[in-house]
Amino acid sequence: MLRAISSAFAFCLAGVAAAQAGGDAKLGKTVFFRCMACHEAATDRDKVGPHLLGVVGRTAGTAENFHYSQAMKDAGAAGLVWDEANLTTYLRAPKLKVPGNRMAFPGLTSDDDIANVIAYLKADPKP
């Protein structure tokens, strides 16, 4: 009986994680407003931060024409690719994921916000 309950609990947790991983691009656009002072996601125009158009799947520190911190260049050279898992940890705590990077934003605290922003970044066209 305990094994069945444990299995059911694990299955429910996996479902919640999968739902969060999917995110909602429209809600993500709303959350992304916090990022828009420094980043563009719908075009390849750089601002204070690099553009985020096509960031999912891109190696860290490699957007053309942006002058990254040495820490971000080194992270990319070491193999950091912005997949969903890496974006999740970075968006939660940028200074912990890539120590020495120049991003001033302290991070997002809500798992839902993070999943939604990632869904927005992945969306093409953007909602």
Side-chain angles (χ1 to χ4, degrees):
M1 179 69 169
L2 184 57
R3 184 180 297 165
I5 292 171
S6 295
S7 296
F9 181 71
F11 182 75
C12 287
L13 283 179
V16 168
Q20 287 180 342
D24 181 310
K26 286 184 182 182
L27 292 174
K29 181 178 183 178
T30 302
V31 177
F32 192 78
F33 285 138
R34 301 180 207 172
C35 312
M36 291 177 91
C38 298
H39 296 282
E40 176 65 48
T43 73
D44 63 357
R45 187 179 128 231
D46 294 324
K47 293 183 174 182
V48 173
H51 73 85
L52 301 177
L53 181 66
V55 70
V56 179
R58 184 166 70 209
T59 300
T62 62
E64 288 188 37
N65 302 318
F66 187 79
H67 300 289
Y68 287 96
S69 65
Q70 192 60 50
M72 192 60 75
K73 290 180 202 176
D74 291 347
L80 178 61
V81 174
W82 294 124
D83 59 17
E84 288 187 36
N86 285 323
L87 281 167
T88 297
T89 57
Y90 186 76
L91 291 172
R92 182 170 283 112
K95 296 290 185 189
L96 292 178
K97 180 68 176 174
V98 182
N101 83 80
R102 293 188 305 237
M103 189 154 114
F105 187 70
L108 297 170
T109 57
S110 165
D111 290 339
D112 289 335
D113 284 352
I114 292 169
N116 293 337
V117 166
I118 292 170
Y120 173 70
L121 292 173
K122 289 172 60 176
D124 184 28
K126 303 282 184 240

